[in-house]
Amino acid sequence: MSRASSEFLSMWDHSMLYLATGFVAIGLLIFVFYELKVFRLKDIKERYDFVNNNEIRYFWYSVIVFIGAIVSFGNTIATPKIELDGMRWFYVRVFITVCLGVVSYFSSFSMIRIYYPRFLQKRLTRLRNAPRLSPEGNVMRKVPEAEEQHHLENSQLSGLHSIDYDIWIDDKSGYKKIEKYPAYQNAEECVECGYYTLRMAGEEVEVAPTINDQGILLTHYICSYCGHREKRELTVVKLSSNVV
């Protein structure tokens, strides 16, 4: 192999190593930046919403740059063989590493879409049940579901949407905080495939509530992995006489 080719390979290897190091640094910075943003949100409900809406996206960004790091490092492997057997192996190495990068990209995307929501849901559950503090600094009590109707407004009780409410009360000061959790935001475990890829796809009023009778809300769910569909009926409380 000519001296020019050897110098090119040496420069190439150094460049790829620097690039791989840069990708790793960027991936770590994305992770640290995300966790700092989460940590700076003092209100736990705001933290819950931010994690629910952004964690998978930030995690995916980190995965992409780490794949770039692996592809870059792969382009430094077997350089002595290329110097010995010819530059054609240089192009073979580039082709193989790029193909592996593409395969890693799509396989990682599928893995994150299928498996990561399970871990995300555990983190969201911890945040949702984490103790809240009132403005006075007292630890608040989460109201049991059976008692929630005594603390909700008529408009919240009669709403024709799949919404769950968590109610926290400071028994010392009487301060009350109501947190709203729309059903469409969260993924659930699919009974068919077992992955957390079941989401609400829509809802319709099957029976409208009246002052005298309860209503029925029909919710539709679909699994983005296996395509499983299911319907659920939710009871809607009677309308209050002062609700138009």
Side-chain angles (χ1 to χ4, degrees):
M1 176 174 288
S2 67
R3 180 178 178 181
S5 297
S6 296
E7 290 177 350
F8 169 77
L9 287 174
S10 178
M11 181 184 67
W12 175 271
D13 284 359
H14 282 88
S15 298
M16 289 298 104
L17 286 174
Y18 285 133
L19 190 60
T21 303
F23 276 134
V24 171
I26 292 172
L28 292 175
L29 284 174
I30 291 174
F31 174 78
V32 172
F33 174 77
Y34 170 75
E35 290 298 335
L36 282 175
K37 290 196 72 171
V38 173
F39 179 76
R40 291 180 62 184
L41 294 172
K42 301 304 180 182
D43 184 87
I44 297 180
K45 179 58 167 66
E46 291 182 9
R47 188 178 298 180
Y48 176 99
D49 290 337
F50 183 80
V51 169
N52 192 30
N53 294 326
N54 296 284
E55 180 154 316
I56 289 181
R57 180 163 56 91
Y58 276 90
F59 184 68
W60 176 232
Y61 292 160
S62 296
V63 169
I64 291 175
V65 294
F66 280 127
I67 291 173
I70 294 172
V71 171
S72 300
F73 180 77
N75 271 283
T76 66
I77 297 174
T79 297
K81 178 177 177 59
I82 295 174
E83 292 178 338
L84 184 64
D85 296 339
M87 285 295 292
R88 67 181 181 276
W89 293 105
F90 170 82
Y91 299 107
V92 171
R93 182 176 68 180
V94 171
F95 177 77
I96 291 174
T97 53
V98 170
C99 288
L100 289 175
V102 172
V103 171
S104 299
Y105 176 91
F106 287 105
S107 60
S108 297
F109 178 79
S110 298
M111 295 283 286
I112 292 171
R113 182 172 63 90
I114 295 169
Y115 292 106
Y116 195 74
R118 180 186 298 272
F119 300 100
L120 175 61
Q121 193 59 43
K122 290 180 180 179
R123 184 174 190 180
L124 292 174
T125 300
R126 289 196 300 269
L127 286 171
R128 186 166 176 177
N129 294 321
R132 271 58 166 169
L133 295 178
S134 68
E136 287 75 16
N138 301 321
V139 177
M140 303 176 72
R141 173 178 61 89
K142 189 175 182 180
V143 174
E145 188 173 349
E147 301 177 16
E148 288 181 352
Q149 60 180 346
H150 303 300
H151 300 275
L152 296 174
E153 302 292 337
N154 289 327
S155 58
Q156 294 169 324
L157 288 170
S158 61
L160 298 180
H161 296 284
S162 299
I163 296 175
D164 194 14
Y165 292 97
D166 283 354
I167 303 171
W168 296 83
I169 292 181
D170 179 0
D171 291 321
K172 295 181 179 179
S173 67
Y175 175 80
K176 178 172 66 176
K177 182 179 182 182
I178 299 177
E179 297 178 351
K180 181 179 179 181
Y181 296 89
Y184 67 85
Q185 289 184 335
N186 296 324
E188 299 181 23
E189 185 176 9
C190 177
V191 295
E192 291 293 326
C193 64
Y195 299 129
Y196 277 76
T197 47
L198 185 71
R199 288 184 178 273
M200 191 178 75
E203 54 188 358
E204 58 182 297
V205 178
E206 192 171 50
V207 178
T210 65
I211 295 177
N212 299 316
D213 299 301
Q214 294 180 330
I216 297 176
L217 181 68
L218 190 64
T219 56
H220 301 266
Y221 291 81
I222 183 170
C223 176
S224 60
Y225 177 72
C226 68
H228 168 71
R229 295 173 180 268
E230 63 180 68
K231 298 178 182 179
R232 301 177 188 173
E233 288 187 350
L234 299 176
T235 301
V236 182
V237 299
K238 300 177 184 178
L239 295 178
S240 174
S241 59
N242 60 352
V243 176
V244 179

